[in-house]
Amino acid sequence: LLRYASCFRKKKVIGVRYDESWHHDQVVLVNNEALDMQQIIIPSSATSAKDVMRHLIPNEVMLEREKRDLRLCFERLFAARTVVQEQLRLWDPPELVVCATPKDVPATIKRLGHPAGCKAYLWDDNEALLGRRGVLVVERFNALTGHQRARLEAFLDKVMPLDGLPEELEDWMCSAPEDHRVLDYIEDANGDEFLSYVFPETKHRDVKPWPLPELDGVAHKPTVSTRKAQIMRGLQQAGVAIARTTSGDSWRQMWKNGLEINEMLRPDEHTHRKRQRHLKAYRPKRQEPAA
């Protein structure tokens, strides 16, 4: 997004700039090495890719197809920002940081206006960043669980059904490198080929949780696998027979039952007092014996 590598002209890299107030260009010292840090910080007031493209200043003439490709890249970025805002329940959309060079967390935090030494972290799958201050390296996300895959396929069947794909888009998606390909021709048992979405799949047990920073006085929430183990113990304590299963629907029901049982086994003080009041209110009165 700062050094656009054209998909339409071989070996063509175009430098692009936007609103000058967004750019953060400076030389920073990383691991005793001076690096020319180039990044932009897109403010919350920019609500769409079109808002960014209005400020586009390429260092040479770009083809309309290249501008469209760049706009679509920003659309994916804004879609990710929307998800972050919704999941974290933020009032305003967060600022977007786009880097063209190795990331430097302290320098970025300073540019965002936060005091030096504040807690800030970057989760990244780039192993070259291992050991950098504020960086937590995670495994590459290149496979989906069965439940995630089913949800994604259902969404794609709804918004982008295969029988309605333009031929040019189909050819382009099928020509992607094998490890990046999500659309391909599959051969059935009779030897006939048909078009299908293809996604690498993994098991729940093989998905490793992201590393968490060590924060004084902050208790980490249990991971999904830990929470499932707690729920299993709660079900066993309540005398519920447990069947080992990998079905997403069964796990969701078990999760719901486990949460309810967990509340019964270990109610918090407020819930306990509330239940006691309800019991007193609805406890049947003792009847006087008949004369």
Side-chain angles (χ1 to χ4, degrees), residues 71-84:
R71 177 176 58 80
L72 292 176
C73 291
F74 275 110
E75 285 186 2
R76 291 193 291 272
L77 185 61
F78 274 85
R81 183 177 78 168
T82 299
V83 172
V84 170

Side-chain angles (χ1 to χ4, degrees), residues 38-217:
Q38 297 181 17
Q39 67 179 23
I40 58 171
I41 298 178
I42 303 175
S44 302
S45 56
T47 59
S48 68
K50 291 182 179 180
D51 290 342
V52 176
M53 295 301 291
R54 290 192 190 100
H55 300 281
L56 176 65
I57 308 172
N59 62 4
E60 59 181 278
V61 177
M62 295 181 68
L63 302 176
E64 288 302 320
R65 289 183 296 174
E66 293 170 338
K67 291 181 180 179
R68 180 178 181 274
D69 185 37
L70 188 61
R71 177 176 58 80
L72 292 176
C73 291
F74 275 110
E75 285 186 2
R76 291 193 291 272
L77 185 61
F78 274 85
R81 183 177 78 168
T82 299
V83 172
V84 170
Q85 181 183 1
E86 292 176 353
Q87 292 299 314
L88 298 182
R89 300 179 182 179
L90 304 176
W91 287 106
D92 299 312
E95 294 173 303
L96 290 171
V97 180
V98 180
C99 299
T101 49
K103 305 171 181 71
D104 184 272
V105 174
T108 300
I109 291 304
K110 182 179 179 181
R111 181 68 177 83
L112 289 169
H114 298 292
C118 73
K119 302 295 184 181
Y121 300 93
L122 168 68
W123 282 263
D124 202 299
D125 60 8
N126 184 358
E127 294 183 355
L129 299 176
L130 188 64
R132 297 274 180 88
R133 183 179 172 187
V135 177
L136 298 167
V137 177
V138 301
E139 290 191 352
R140 289 187 179 274
F141 182 72
N142 53 14
L144 301 172
T145 63
H147 177 60
Q148 291 171 331
R149 177 178 176 174
R151 290 185 61 189
L152 179 57
E153 288 178 341
F155 172 76
L156 291 174
D157 287 339
K158 180 180 179 181
V159 302
M160 199 168 68
L162 292 176
D163 54 5
L165 284 183
E167 187 175 348
E168 290 183 357
L169 178 59
E170 178 184 322
D171 292 341
W172 179 74
M173 293 181 70
C174 290
S175 67
E178 186 175 354
D179 55 341
H180 292 163
R181 195 176 304 160
V182 297
L183 186 69
D184 205 352
Y185 281 93
I186 307 298
E187 190 175 295
D188 61 15
N190 299 323
D192 298 325
E193 289 189 340
F194 63 96
L195 193 64
S196 173
Y197 288 114
V198 289
F199 305 106
E201 189 169 335
T202 187
K203 302 293 185 182
H204 277 284
R205 62 176 176 269
D206 296 330
V207 179
K208 295 182 179 179
W210 281 18
L212 297 175
E214 295 295 334
L215 300 176
D216 296 335

